[in-house]
Amino acid sequence: MGANRGAHASRLLAQVTLTGDNERRVRLAASLIGAKIRSQIHVLTRIARRDEAVHVADTTAHMHAWRRSLAGARTLDEVMGIEGACSNAYFDALAACVPADVTFDGRSRRPPRDLPNAALSYGYAILLSECVGALHAAGLEPSLGVAHAPTDNRPSLALDLMEQFRPLLVDQTVMALLRARKLRPEHGVVEAEAGGVWLGSDGKKILVDAYEAASQRSVTGALPGYSGSWRRHIAHSAQMLARAIAEPDYP
């Protein structure tokens, strides 16, 4: 975090002020969730473009409609309800894209119930830690969330920041590994006591290597005027989020 952690008092005060401004929180939350839905649609469309057997047009049409409806949301519950509907449809569509011998019945967590969910949860944990670091570097307090309610013992703002990156960095990486047969059922370890499935050591190495390669890949057009790696994109997005929190008129 560094010795200059207290140099961003104005941003921390702006975060506290934002927690009591429902209208601004809803507007900013809708923007964050809208970016996530756009990323989810991109992932599904890319898989379908590369595999004629995958049909996601109906799902993505519904997701486009839900994303447009964010403009009319007036409460955080409405925003998160739209996010939940999109995510359910999205993971149902992803479940139809894995190889036949891979069990995947939609998103499950605490504990993950199958290999894809184990890989997704592991990847999200890596991404979350990167987002926490990016927020600290931007002078923000990770626990003071926008879409995710501020609470103790949870980096709510980091969960907000990572939303748009979940599909593009983690979901896309996991699906590519599954479809290429690089992640296979034997990479999942069944924990009888916990009642879940976890990645074994070989599976973790495969996923971490693929995630690292993806995070260093250069992207263009993700943000206006932005060009660089996904890792730099996370840091840049944290700085943009800081401006949006500190400056009420920032788009």
Side-chain angles (χ1 to χ4, degrees):
M1 291 167 58
N4 66 339
R5 179 69 182 97
H8 300 289
S10 61
R11 289 186 173 182
L12 296 176
L13 289 171
Q15 281 188 268
V16 174
T17 299
L18 179 64
T19 61
D21 190 334
N22 184 69
E23 184 177 343
R24 283 189 64 212
R25 277 188 69 190
V26 170
R27 186 169 67 247
L28 187 51
S31 177
L32 293 166
I33 297 305
K36 176 184 183 178
I37 296 171
R38 182 175 62 242
S39 297
Q40 290 174 328
I41 292 171
H42 171 82
V43 171
L44 291 178
T45 303
R46 182 171 182 174
I47 293 174
R49 189 166 58 239
R50 296 183 173 192
D51 186 346
E52 294 181 354
V54 172
H55 304 286
V56 297
D58 288 344
T59 299
T60 56
H62 286 303
M63 293 175 71
H64 277 297
W66 280 319
R67 181 170 178 265
R68 289 192 295 270
S69 72
L70 285 168
R74 295 293 176 265
T75 67
L76 289 171
D77 284 344
E78 290 180 43
V79 172
M80 298 311 289
I82 293 168
E83 186 275 335
C86 276
S87 288
N88 286 338
Y90 168 72
F91 281 110
D92 285 346
L94 284 185
C97 298
V98 300
D101 64 335
V102 175
T103 300
F104 188 22
D105 296 322
R107 185 74 179 113
S108 62
R109 57 185 75 80
R110 300 188 192 95
R113 300 291 182 183
D114 47 51
L115 173 65
N117 276 296
L120 289 170
S121 292
Y122 197 82
Y124 292 155
I126 298 172
L127 176 59
L128 180 62
S129 68
E130 294 209 51
C131 289
V132 168
L135 290 173
H136 280 305
L140 295 173
E141 169 52 54
S143 67
L144 295 177
V146 178
H148 294 83
T151 185
D152 292 340
N153 301 318
R154 185 181 74 177
S156 297
L157 191 64
L159 293 172
D160 291 338
L161 177 62
M162 72 185 283
E163 289 289 23
Q164 67 175 311
F165 298 106
R166 287 177 187 257
L168 298 169
L169 260 176
V170 179
D171 303 355
Q172 196 159 242
T173 297
V174 170
M175 290 301 297
L177 291 173
L178 290 168
R179 289 172 61 82
R181 311 293 294 169
K182 293 181 180 179
L183 268 183
R184 300 181 298 278
E186 58 265 30
H187 291 125
V189 178
V190 178
E191 291 285 352
E193 292 185 8
V197 177
W198 311 91
L199 279 183
S201 57
D202 289 344
K204 289 177 181 178
K205 183 180 187 309
I206 291 167
L207 178 56
V208 169
D209 287 348
Y211 176 93
E212 186 63 22
S215 68
Q216 295 187 45
R217 190 173 300 127
S218 181
V219 292
T220 57
L223 286 173
Y226 174 82
S227 178
S229 69
W230 279 116
R231 181 159 286 138
R232 286 186 59 196
H233 190 358
I234 293 171
H236 186 61
S237 293
Q239 294 290 344
M240 290 183 66
L241 182 56
R243 283 195 63 185
I245 290 172
E247 302 172 24
D249 297 328
Y250 184 70

